[in-house]
Amino acid sequence: MRISRFGLSAGLSLALAACSGSYGVEESASAQQLGEVTLVEPAARAPSELQVLFWNDEQRNARFRDMESWFAGHEVPASPNPTTLEKGAPLSAALQGELRAYIEESNAAGIMVLQGGKVRFEEYGLGMSETDRWTSFSVAKSFTSTLLGAAVKDGFIASLDDPITQYIPELKGSAYDGVTVEQIATMTSGVAWNENYTDPESDVSQLNKFVVEFGPNAIVEQMKRLKREAPAGEKFVYKTGETNLLGLLIENVVGLSLAEYSQEKIVGAAGLEGAMFWMTDPRGGNIGGCCLSLRLSDYARVGEFVRKGAVGPDGEAIVPQGWFAKAGSPLVDFGNGFGYGYQWWTYPGGNYGAQGIFGQSIAIVPQADLVVAVISNWPAAQSGPLRNKGAGLVAKIAFSPRE
């Protein structure tokens, strides 16, 4: 068996996330059959060039499709047996027109609609092609959640009711004492956090500062300094830093980087057609809360894989039975059917999805056998109107005739 050794790079000062700890990584036999996960290390760049939240529109258009030239990460080979996406009945001319208008309005790089596993719409913008990759931002959180389920299924995590300090003991004595793994997964730890993407002093923007100062210990050093603002389990606050903790937990218990664990549990099981890139942090693990890159069709394949319960090509269950029924349910209830599960946003009607800043998303509508994947470069990190308009289009597709 091969022991992976992670290198470091000056390109690791990403403003969005980092983790801590160190370990050797031993691949399973099935992972080896899928090919070797390799480390990509780009040329060193000035930290000022790596402030993703503050790139301008032109920089985002060029760099979101080429993050491996800016940040170190793992390259996970494509599945040797990619899932075929057959062509289905096209959407109505009217719906196609609305989707094309949305691509223009929202500066989207691509939209793919799968229904019953078949492609009903696929179109690109911003000069993208079907073989290009695009970054995910917080869509990656839902990948990390799926790996959390896999770690439970594989017996590495006894219970989500376990305290987070059982798996990351460096957090003992901090505001995370008494916080469970499930409360981290639902972002209800009660620990204060500022996720303002436009504020250079916010906690999410300060992640880079901790990377520079503490290197491999960055995420724990930042998170253990946070203060408690509510009892654990009582208040939802969106925290990229806590998904990074989930990633660290998974890597600690499994003994593989997220990228290597995902090679079998997601890339191979979902049959991804292209290679996946997932950024690394200063200790050589992957960033749980952000920053993997895939083809548009592979985001759609992952959505379809999840919609069907995350069952591998040989019929093996990747996550515990009923995992997505709970992970994709409003464990945190915002009202009117909206909420948050295990790193999945939930919507009315039992629907759920993954969302990332600048307009990335995977929407899953189980009752309509529907998956809609979108990659974008919105003018700003967040846009309620564009997000709502996209959701409205998903609803229109769900209620439209299939033939």
Side-chain angles (χ1 to χ4, degrees):
M1 294 187 178
R2 182 176 61 84
I3 301 295
S4 297
R5 300 188 182 279
F6 299 136
L8 302 181
S9 168
L12 294 169
S13 54
L14 175 63
L16 294 179
C19 296
S20 71
S22 60
Y23 49 85
V25 175
E26 186 172 337
E27 288 189 272
S28 68
S30 57
Q32 290 187 62
Q33 292 167 7
L34 289 168
E36 184 177 3
V37 174
T38 58
L39 179 66
V40 177
E41 293 187 280
R45 298 181 185 273
S48 60
E49 292 187 274
L50 302 176
Q51 301 295 323
V52 176
L53 294 174
F54 304 101
W55 283 348
N56 61 36
D57 181 74
E58 181 180 0
Q59 290 170 329
R60 293 194 303 269
N61 275 342
R63 299 174 186 180
F64 283 3
R65 75 190 72 204
D66 187 32
M67 297 296 266
E68 59 270 29
S69 293
W70 294 85
F71 300 99
H74 287 122
E75 185 88 3
V76 182
S79 169
N81 299 298
T83 299
T84 300
L85 296 180
E86 298 178 0
K87 296 293 183 183
L91 298 175
S92 69
L95 267 176
Q96 290 190 51
E98 289 189 65
L99 287 168
R100 291 186 180 106
Y102 184 70
I103 288 173
E104 291 296 323
E105 177 186 356
S106 64
N107 209 31
I111 297 178
M112 177 173 278
V113 176
L114 297 183
Q115 196 158 31
K118 295 183 178 181
V119 180
R120 299 197 65 195
F121 181 86
E122 178 182 7
E123 196 144 321
Y124 297 88
L126 306 181
M128 283 285 289
S129 77
E130 61 184 13
T131 59
D132 291 330
R133 294 190 296 210
W134 194 264
T135 193
S136 59
F137 293 107
S138 289
V139 167
K141 290 180 169 69
S142 300
F143 283 63
T144 298
S145 168
T146 302
L147 296 178
L148 177 68
V152 173
K153 175 68 167 57
D154 288 346
F156 293 111
I157 298 170
S159 171
L160 296 188
D161 292 328
D162 290 341
I164 187 68
T165 53
Q166 177 177 327
Y167 300 101
I168 309 176
E170 299 95 327
L171 291 173
K172 289 180 179 179
S174 75
Y176 284 98
D177 280 336
V179 174
T180 68
V181 175
E182 183 170 62
Q183 288 162 349
I184 297 292
T186 57
M187 299 198 185
T188 58
S189 66
V191 176
W193 177 269
N194 182 348
E195 187 86 7
N196 187 331
Y197 302 111
T198 62
D199 179 4
E201 300 303 314
S202 70
D203 293 306
V204 72
S205 298
Q206 288 296 301
L207 285 165
N208 179 63
K209 172 186 172 182
F210 279 84
V211 169
V212 172
E213 186 172 353
F214 293 101
N217 301 315
I219 189 60
V220 167
E221 288 298 329
Q222 182 178 23
M223 303 305 282
K224 74 182 185 182
R225 287 168 166 74
L226 299 175
K227 305 298 183 184
R228 173 161 297 284
E229 64 176 356
E234 293 188 8
K235 183 178 181 180
F236 171 84
V237 176
Y238 188 77
K239 308 179 188 75
T240 290
E242 289 194 342
T243 318
N244 296 338
L245 289 178
L246 280 183
L248 176 57
L249 181 161
I250 294 163
E251 293 183 334
N252 281 351
V253 298
V254 174
L256 295 168
S257 69
L258 295 177
E260 289 184 305
Y261 196 41
S262 72
Q263 185 181 28
E264 177 183 356
K265 303 301 181 180
I266 296 178
V267 176
L272 302 194
E273 188 175 33
M276 179 174 71
F277 172 79
W278 200 333
M279 288 187 198
T280 49
D281 58 42
R283 71 195 166 87
N286 298 107
I287 299 169
C290 180
C291 308
L292 58 83
S293 296
L294 289 174
R295 297 178 183 184
L296 173 64
S297 62
D298 283 337
Y299 286 117
R301 282 182 174 89
V302 171
E304 180 69 5
F305 170 68
V306 168
R307 180 185 75 80
K308 296 171 75 173
V311 176
D314 298 325
E316 73 278 14
I318 302 301
V319 297
Q321 184 175 6
W323 175 264
F324 289 107
K326 188 169 186 180
S329 67
L331 301 174
V332 180
D333 188 357
F334 301 155
N336 299 317
F338 294 95
Y340 200 71
Y342 296 155
Q343 309 286 300
W344 292 90
W345 297 93
T346 68
Y347 317 120
N351 307 317
Y352 58 103
Q355 294 182 9
I357 57 173
F358 295 106
Q360 327 314 318
S361 65
I362 303 172
I364 301 172
V365 184
Q367 291 187 347
D369 303 324
L370 180 68
V371 171
V372 180
V374 183
I375 52 175
S376 306
N377 174 23
W378 285 354
Q382 295 177 304
S383 172
L386 287 176
R387 185 75 71 188
N388 291 338
K389 189 165 187 178
L393 287 169
V394 171
K396 279 190 176 184
I397 297 167
F399 286 106
S400 69
R402 295 201 189 189
E403 299 294 338

